[in-house]
Amino acid sequence: MTPLDLSSDGAPTTAPTVLAGRGLTFAYDDAEPVFTDLTVGVGRGEVLAVLGPNGGGKTTLLRLLAGSLRPRSGEIVLDGTEVPQNRRGIGGLRRRVQLVFQDPDDQLFSASVRQDVSFGPLNQGLAADDVRERVEWALDALDITGLAAQPTHLLSYGQRKRVVLAGAVAMRPSVLILDEPTAGLDPSGVESLLATLEGLRASGTTLVVSTHEVDLAYRWADRALVIDHGLLGSGPVHEVLGDAALLAAARLRPAWGPAVGRALRTSGLLPEGVADPRTPEEVAAVLDGHR
């Protein structure tokens, strides 16, 4: 496993880069740097999973990529062009890259769902008809059209998460950055949210997702990067999350998919060269094929 599998401009080699950070160094006030000279990138249309232990810099990295923090040194690159670290440059970055925090209450501030979702498009200065179209599209995409008139303080946790996501996608971002999007959701809520995010991805949105859920990342992401005050590993998700030593170094538990794949091969049920299963349904399909 090489420590970095990126092209010269910090982008994954498998797809044209849409967003990258090159040589990023950041520290809070006078504390030790969270990381130094960190280079990462995400390809257009990919799902990139960002994993690592608490305090390892995941959220800091997401905020740098979204423009809510400014690096001490290094640069943010959007579609191959360096983003100027001034008001105009950061404003343009924030219109194209939307960050959704783990706790929806950090970003909900309007009285009703429709008002909250419309806030971003209204502040872009769009015409009323354009705002209305974006809001209706976002509500439908997140399956919350029926909640449009509801007060936000009466919503469930999962519903509030969807409202915040709707507000982000109403901005029609090129990249949607999600900090622990499944935290606090029950299994049904997780599956529903993943289906929604897959729909957004199918419409052309690139997704960057931080998570502690190794199995979720293994199942869903295209690529993964593991950080702990620096980049420990980056590459295709099945390679990165199949590296038990790398995960142990980041204080993450092994993914079950590679372990199940090894057991199936040992039993002669999975041929060499066939990808490890990512879901229980794929395991069941392998077993059913040998009955």
Side-chain angles (χ1 to χ4, degrees), residues 3-14:
L4 190 62
D5 182 18
L6 302 174
S7 67
S8 60
D9 67 350
T13 58
T14 54

Side-chain angles (χ1 to χ4, degrees), residues 63-227:
R63 294 183 66 188
L64 286 167
L65 292 174
S68 65
L69 290 176
R70 297 189 183 188
R72 293 279 182 94
S73 62
E75 58 191 22
I76 304 300
V77 180
L78 182 65
D79 283 333
T81 301
E82 181 182 351
V83 176
Q85 293 296 304
N86 55 34
R87 183 173 180 179
R88 182 175 182 179
I90 296 300
L93 176 66
R94 290 176 179 174
R95 284 190 292 274
R96 296 278 309 282
V97 179
Q98 287 288 299
L99 170 62
V100 177
F101 294 117
Q102 176 177 339
D103 186 348
D105 295 329
D106 290 340
Q107 289 175 281
L108 282 174
F109 49 85
S110 297
S112 74
V113 169
R114 188 181 300 278
Q115 287 175 342
D116 208 90
V117 176
S118 66
F119 179 83
L122 282 171
N123 279 274
Q124 284 186 307
L126 299 175
D129 286 347
D130 292 333
V131 171
R132 189 176 303 110
E133 186 274 331
R134 285 198 184 197
V135 170
E136 295 306 320
W137 174 80
L139 291 172
D140 180 66
L142 273 296
D143 196 25
I144 54 172
T145 300
L147 300 176
Q150 289 291 313
T152 54
H153 71 275
L154 295 180
L155 302 177
S156 70
Y157 184 81
Q159 289 171 334
R160 297 200 303 277
K161 280 211 165 194
R162 285 182 172 271
V163 171
V164 171
L165 272 171
V169 302
M171 298 287 286
R172 300 285 173 87
S174 300
V175 182
L176 186 59
I177 299 179
L178 308 172
D179 191 8
E180 299 284 351
T182 59
L185 299 180
D186 61 23
S188 176
V190 170
E191 293 303 318
S192 179
L193 180 60
L194 291 182
T196 297
L197 293 175
E198 273 300 312
L200 295 175
R201 180 190 189 185
S203 71
T205 304
T206 299
L207 299 170
V208 179
V209 182
S210 79
T211 180
H212 287 101
E213 298 292 334
V214 176
D215 292 330
L216 174 69
Y218 186 84
R219 161 190 170 186
W220 183 45
D222 300 302
R223 295 176 63 85
L225 62 89
V226 180
I227 62 173

